[in-house]
Amino acid sequence: NATIINFNNEKMQITWATRELFPNENVSFSYTFDEGKHKVWKPCTTYLLDQDYNSGCLFKTEGPTLTISIKNNNGSEELFCKKLKSDFYIKPSRPENVTFFWEEDTVTVSCNKPERAAWCLKLELQYKSKFDKEWQSRTSKCCSVGEQGFDPRKCYSFRVRLRRLVPYCNVVNYSSDWEAETFWMNGTLLDSCDDDITSQPNTVIVLSCLLAALLMMLILLILLCKWQRVQMSVLPAIPDPKYLFADLFNDHNGNVQEWLDKNDHVMLQTKLEYEEPESITEAESQQEDGKNSDKEGPLEKIFTFSGAAENSDRKAAQIARLIPASNTTTSFTDFHILMDDDIYVML
């Protein structure tokens, strides 16, 4: 129940399960890197604690051979002792100066070569795309590893670490901590694959919105045309009096009486233009009939007052149609006019 770690052959960390091995007892720890009979033991200066009980020690690595001793609190009784090779418990440091080299669909990852025992190390590369749930792993000798088959349209996450060879160099399979994760797409370093994940859906969303808007506009136009047809068939359009009586609103500001007066005058003038030729023709025919009647019966005089409308004032010019009873005689001062059903007098 002890864990021994040699951090890059620089620092040693030894921990033990104090609750199981030494319950309710605060033990002391000492170590030495000497191999002869005359060993110089060094007490632990940096203890690791577990609920105020010593559960480990951290000290500097000073040689390949280590001997440790655990005694009771006052140092009178040795509870545990072990001799070991410190080089068999090395945990390497993180890879330094990691670089990525892209060539089409192939990527090569490399790092700085450690100064000591580089042949005992392997460089491990792990990667996954946004569509992968688990990491893909590739391992090569220190300190370069390559892989091919990367899709330039995908964003990939990469991480690397160094591994110690077992059992040739280590008795425990120790690896370094992972180097900081990086994100790449087609040879371009990104801050995060979230940018790529959101960019493509954003494009799809924009295109979908545009298509939906165009489809909605088309549907609205079709519905509008059909609605206009239905409205015209069910509810015929009611003419706006504003356009039928434009002169009433534009010229007379809605004054109906003024508009009627002017309209009566216009209608009267129109009537005169169309009725005057007819009245003249009828008067001439009456004169001819009068001449014929002079020869047969008593003398009767028929006068047509055709010029009265032209000489009088515009407002006094009116047409009076008199429809008398049959054989009625009308008197005008000294003149007597016999009127029957087929004549009328213009004044």
Side-chain angles (χ1 to χ4, degrees), residues 300-302 326-330 336-340 343:
E300 294 181 357
K301 298 180 181 178
I302 299 174
S326 179
N327 296 326
T328 300
T329 304
T330 303
H336 300 279
I337 303 172
L338 178 62
M339 307 178 66
D340 60 23
I343 68 170

Side-chain angles (χ1 to χ4, degrees), residues 71-82:
K71 298 181 180 181
N72 59 4
N73 190 23
N74 56 18
S76 59
E77 181 184 358
E78 188 175 61
L79 304 175
F80 178 79
C81 183
K82 184 176 180 63

Side-chain angles (χ1 to χ4, degrees), residues 53-91:
Y53 288 98
N54 296 336
S55 62
C57 182
L58 185 66
F59 53 94
K60 184 179 179 180
T61 304
E62 298 177 358
T65 304
L66 173 65
T67 306
I68 60 176
S69 175
I70 297 177
K71 298 181 180 181
N72 59 4
N73 190 23
N74 56 18
S76 59
E77 181 184 358
E78 188 175 61
L79 304 175
F80 178 79
C81 183
K82 184 176 180 63
K83 183 178 180 180
L84 51 91
K85 290 288 185 178
S86 61
D87 291 347
F88 288 169
Y89 299 89
I90 292 178
K91 179 179 180 178

Side-chain angles (χ1 to χ4, degrees), residues 107-144:
V107 60
T108 302
V109 184
S110 59
C111 66
N112 288 349
K113 190 174 183 179
E115 295 179 358
R116 292 182 295 180
W119 63 274
C120 284
L121 297 174
K122 283 191 174 184
L123 183 63
E124 181 181 6
L125 168 68
Q126 287 191 349
Y127 62 91
K128 67 177 180 178
S129 71
K130 60 184 179 182
F131 303 103
D132 299 327
K133 294 182 179 180
E134 297 181 354
W135 291 93
Q136 306 294 324
S137 184
R138 294 291 181 274
T139 305
S140 181
K141 65 179 183 179
C142 187
C143 290
S144 178

Side-chain angles (χ1 to χ4, degrees), residues 22-180:
F22 317 110
N24 301 324
E25 186 174 359
N26 209 358
V27 298
S28 62
F29 178 85
S30 59
Y31 65 93
T32 181
F33 285 93
D34 296 335
E35 298 183 15
K37 294 182 180 181
H38 304 285
K39 298 178 181 178
V40 179
W41 293 90
K42 296 181 180 180
C44 179
T45 57
T46 305
Y47 277 103
L48 304 176
L49 302 179
D50 181 10
Q51 295 183 353
D52 297 331
Y53 288 98
N54 296 336
S55 62
C57 182
L58 185 66
F59 53 94
K60 184 179 179 180
T61 304
E62 298 177 358
T65 304
L66 173 65
T67 306
I68 60 176
S69 175
I70 297 177
K71 298 181 180 181
N72 59 4
N73 190 23
N74 56 18
S76 59
E77 181 184 358
E78 188 175 61
L79 304 175
F80 178 79
C81 183
K82 184 176 180 63
K83 183 178 180 180
L84 51 91
K85 290 288 185 178
S86 61
D87 291 347
F88 288 169
Y89 299 89
I90 292 178
K91 179 179 180 178
S93 299
R94 291 179 178 180
E96 299 178 353
N97 194 22
V98 178
T99 58
F100 290 80
F101 176 74
W102 288 79
E103 186 176 3
E104 296 180 355
D105 65 338
T106 303
V107 60
T108 302
V109 184
S110 59
C111 66
N112 288 349
K113 190 174 183 179
E115 295 179 358
R116 292 182 295 180
W119 63 274
C120 284
L121 297 174
K122 283 191 174 184
L123 183 63
E124 181 181 6
L125 168 68
Q126 287 191 349
Y127 62 91
K128 67 177 180 178
S129 71
K130 60 184 179 182
F131 303 103
D132 299 327
K133 294 182 179 180
E134 297 181 354
W135 291 93
Q136 306 294 324
S137 184
R138 294 291 181 274
T139 305
S140 181
K141 65 179 183 179
C142 187
C143 290
S144 178
V145 59
E147 180 63 9
Q148 61 183 6
F150 292 97
D151 190 343
R153 297 169 297 178
K154 294 181 182 179
C155 178
Y156 292 90
S157 303
F158 290 92
R159 62 182 185 180
V160 293
R161 67 179 178 180
L162 291 172
R163 295 179 58 180
R164 186 87 169 172
L165 292 178
V166 177
Y168 306 104
C169 300
N170 262 31
V171 295
V172 182
N173 189 12
Y174 281 150
S175 301
S176 70
D177 295 333
W178 290 105
E179 181 61 15

Side-chain angles (χ1 to χ4, degrees), residues 253-295:
N253 296 323
N255 191 331
V256 179
Q257 188 60 45
E258 182 180 339
W259 176 75
L260 287 174
D261 292 342
K262 182 178 179 182
N263 235 26
D264 287 344
H265 175 66
V266 173
M267 291 174 65
L268 180 60
Q269 292 287 20
T270 306
K271 254 184 160 185
L272 283 172
E273 292 175 1
Y274 285 97
E275 290 182 356
E276 275 186 359
E278 183 180 354
S279 63
I280 293 171
T281 306
E282 289 183 359
E284 290 176 354
S285 62
Q286 288 173 9
Q287 288 177 3
E288 291 177 359
D289 292 341
K291 289 178 182 180
N292 295 330
S293 63
D294 286 344
K295 296 177 183 179

